[in-house]
Amino acid sequence: MERLVKNEILPNLDFIDLNVCVDCINDKQTKYTKKGAIRSSQLLEIIHIDICGPFDVNSFNKEKYFITFTDDFSCYGHVYLLHEKSQAVNPLEIYINEVERQLDRKVKVVRSDRYGKYYGRYHKSGQHLGLFAKFLEKRGICAQYTMAGTPQQNGVSERRNRTLMDMVRSMLSNSSLPVSLWMYALKTAMYMLNRVPSKAVQKIPFELWTRRKPNLRHLHVYGCQAEIRIYNPHEKKLDVRTISGYFIGYPEKSKGCIFYCPTYSTRMLKLEMLGSLRMVKPVGVKLHEMWRLRKLEYKFL
């Protein structure tokens, strides 16, 4: 209206006594987003947490969720698989015990969404804290929750999960491997993100977390073909030395690579371990779907 008066389309009007239109506010109100946040100044000062899922295709161990932990100072992340959202407190306890022991520091703040799995639920008698909130309270860790309907307040975890899912979809699309191997693509994606530069920090997350530069010479393309040699003490002179497989990731607590070998027995996963021979049967996996973890020698094509 002021522009109409200025352009002499309307006569001069007095806007001094014009009251605020409540109806316009009710019908046109939008969310106010406060941009900018104070970053932490040291490791484990703020930990961002978020759960993603469920997935249409379960993993080999029947997991259909995953939870991510991201350090605010270094942007170094960890990922754990879940069968149900209610199991979030288990990886939280494992994560906090591990990082506090390794870094000799204490977690001060945990930031997450305001969902029942984190915050608890309200009843007629008041709020009942869930296992997640009780664990943080017992450890003396300050819990910070987002306001209802504002996931952007936990933007670090939201962006991290979106980046992980984009990478997982691209890795699965570029390979010919079963979709049920998404959990290995997910862990490989997190492994890569921790070792490449990030816009949020000046140095590489791995360098800030461990105080040493990462080695990238051992990296390979997810799903690439490989010829794998299995350690076999009873190997005969005329036996075939290698089997064909596909690279699917890196073991968490060993130096080596994980391979998927669909033509070798039934759904065989091969893990190279620089050490003694091991055979493991994961919990919940049937005998005919048993994964054998053995020492391997491999050559990429």
Side-chain angles (χ1 to χ4, degrees), residues 242-255:
T242 63
I243 61 173
S244 299
Y246 301 89
F247 168 78
I248 59 174
Y250 310 92
E252 297 178 358
K253 300 180 181 179
S254 302
K255 288 185 178 180

Side-chain angles (χ1 to χ4, degrees), residues 228-233 257 259 264 268-280 291-297:
I228 309 160
R229 177 166 181 170
I230 305 174
Y231 172 73
N232 183 9
C257 299
F259 299 93
Y264 188 82
M268 304 301 295
L269 271 176
K270 306 300 178 180
L271 170 64
E272 180 203 31
M273 302 187 66
L274 303 182
S276 59
L277 174 65
R278 295 184 182 182
M279 296 190 65
V280 180
W291 305 344
R292 298 178 182 176
L293 308 182
R294 294 182 176 179
K295 179 180 178 182
L296 301 178
E297 298 178 2

Side-chain angles (χ1 to χ4, degrees), residues 24-258:
C24 292
I25 295 177
N26 292 335
D27 297 333
K28 301 178 181 180
Q29 182 68 27
T30 59
K31 288 185 178 180
Y32 171 74
T33 302
K34 181 180 178 181
K35 297 183 178 180
I38 300 176
R39 296 295 303 271
S40 57
S41 58
Q42 60 182 353
L43 294 173
L44 301 186
E45 188 172 351
I46 301 177
I47 302 297
H48 302 269
I49 299 178
D50 193 24
I51 294 179
C52 183
F55 289 86
D56 297 334
V57 180
N58 295 342
S59 66
F60 277 3
N61 277 342
K62 307 303 180 182
E63 294 100 347
K64 53 184 178 180
Y65 299 90
F66 71 84
I67 182 172
T68 56
F69 300 87
T70 306
D71 177 64
D72 186 76
F73 176 75
S74 63
C75 289
Y76 192 89
H78 291 74
V79 61
Y80 298 87
L81 300 177
L82 301 173
H83 292 89
E84 299 292 341
K85 289 185 177 181
S86 57
Q87 300 175 348
V89 67
N90 297 329
L92 172 66
E93 185 175 1
I94 295 173
Y95 171 80
I96 290 180
N97 290 335
E98 178 181 347
V99 298
E100 288 185 348
R101 176 66 62 86
Q102 297 298 324
L103 301 179
D104 197 18
R105 295 174 181 267
K106 295 292 184 180
V107 177
K108 297 181 179 180
V109 177
V110 169
R111 185 172 299 168
S112 63
D113 297 331
R114 188 183 290 267
Y115 290 134
K117 57 182 178 293
Y118 302 124
Y119 186 68
R121 300 187 181 278
Y122 278 98
H123 298 277
K124 295 181 179 179
S125 58
Q127 180 190 359
H128 289 253
L129 296 178
L131 296 177
F132 194 94
K134 288 182 179 179
F135 174 80
L136 297 179
E137 188 179 54
K138 182 179 180 181
R139 296 292 293 265
I141 300 174
C142 178
Q144 294 182 355
Y145 303 102
T146 62
M147 296 301 295
T150 55
Q152 61 270 21
Q153 292 185 350
N154 194 24
V156 173
S157 289
E158 298 291 344
R159 290 189 296 271
R160 171 56 61 93
N161 288 355
R162 182 182 63 186
T163 302
L164 287 173
M165 291 307 305
D166 290 344
M167 295 177 66
V168 169
R169 284 190 292 266
S170 299
M171 293 162 69
L172 293 176
S173 177
N174 185 57
S175 65
S176 58
L177 300 180
V179 182
S180 57
L181 294 175
W182 62 263
M183 68 285 193
Y184 288 99
L186 173 67
K187 292 183 178 181
T188 303
M190 180 65 80
Y191 187 89
M192 295 293 299
L193 285 179
N194 289 334
R195 287 161 176 79
V196 296
S198 173
K199 295 181 180 180
V201 292
Q202 297 295 329
K203 296 183 179 180
I204 297 176
F206 182 88
E207 186 176 356
L208 293 173
W209 186 262
T210 62
R211 297 183 180 179
R212 57 188 177 89
K213 293 184 178 181
N215 183 8
L216 304 182
R217 296 181 180 180
H218 63 286
L219 298 183
H220 301 282
V221 179
Y222 179 86
C224 65
Q225 294 184 1
E227 290 298 322
I228 309 160
R229 177 166 181 170
I230 305 174
Y231 172 73
N232 183 9
H234 305 290
E235 188 175 67
K236 298 179 181 180
K237 295 294 184 180
L238 299 179
D239 288 346
V240 179
R241 293 295 186 261
T242 63
I243 61 173
S244 299
Y246 301 89
F247 168 78
I248 59 174
Y250 310 92
E252 297 178 358
K253 300 180 181 179
S254 302
K255 288 185 178 180
C257 299
I258 305 176

